Amino acid sequence: MGLIHIELFATLDLVGQAPGGPDEDPEGFPFGGWQAPLVNEVTGAQIAAAYEGTDALLLGRRTYDLFASYWPHQKEGEIAGLFNSVPKYVASRGRADLSWAGSSRLGPDLAAAVREVRERHRNVKVVGSLNLVQSLLREKLFDRLDLWLHPIMLGVGKKVFDGGTVPTNLTLLQPPATSPTGTVHLRYGLAEGTPRTGDMSAPDRGLGDDA
């Protein structure tokens, strides 16, 4: 059985919306790309190390669309090579365009589909995909939670734990790592013996398209 890792890039006030660039959420969010000025060689190396061994991606539909418009055109770098080569599993209610090589849509019973992905791979990464993350947190269908806290506060934007948090015990798996810019990397694991609910097939508990 593999592990599902959630990667969350967040501000100190836990905003996780559109860290990568202004085009991620061009409407209603003025701070797209807030992460870029806070990433240096040390942070970049830490992030790259966190992806070592990844053999699948689990994505919400909107994050998938962003990635599919960018990464297939990148031919250099470890992350580009990884993202372009591993299978991509997409949570979407609609009929997403899955033209990026290695992409497939998760079935309607999404709890079962997530478990199947977990059984099929060793290290599955969930990147961005905040709506999908809320559902995985709520149903405790994850094994590792990597939280990258950046020294900035925005005051507005979608929070990483917005609407998905339920009482859950976590264990700190390694000492916090810091970078010269003040970014802190915290890696948690779901505490041993924590029950998983996992009934995401109910109408009011389905995985929404990523926003």
Side-chain angles (χ1 to χ4, degrees), residues 9 34-49 148-151 177-184:
F9 300 118
W34 55 264
Q35 184 188 34
L38 301 169
V39 175
N40 60 10
E41 290 186 6
V42 174
T43 310
Q46 290 173 341
I47 293 173
W148 303 80
L149 289 176
H150 296 72
T178 61
S179 77
T181 61
T183 297
V184 180

Side-chain angles (χ1 to χ4, degrees), residues 166-177:
V166 296
T168 306
N169 289 329
L170 301 175
T171 301
L172 186 66
L173 297 179
Q174 61 189 41

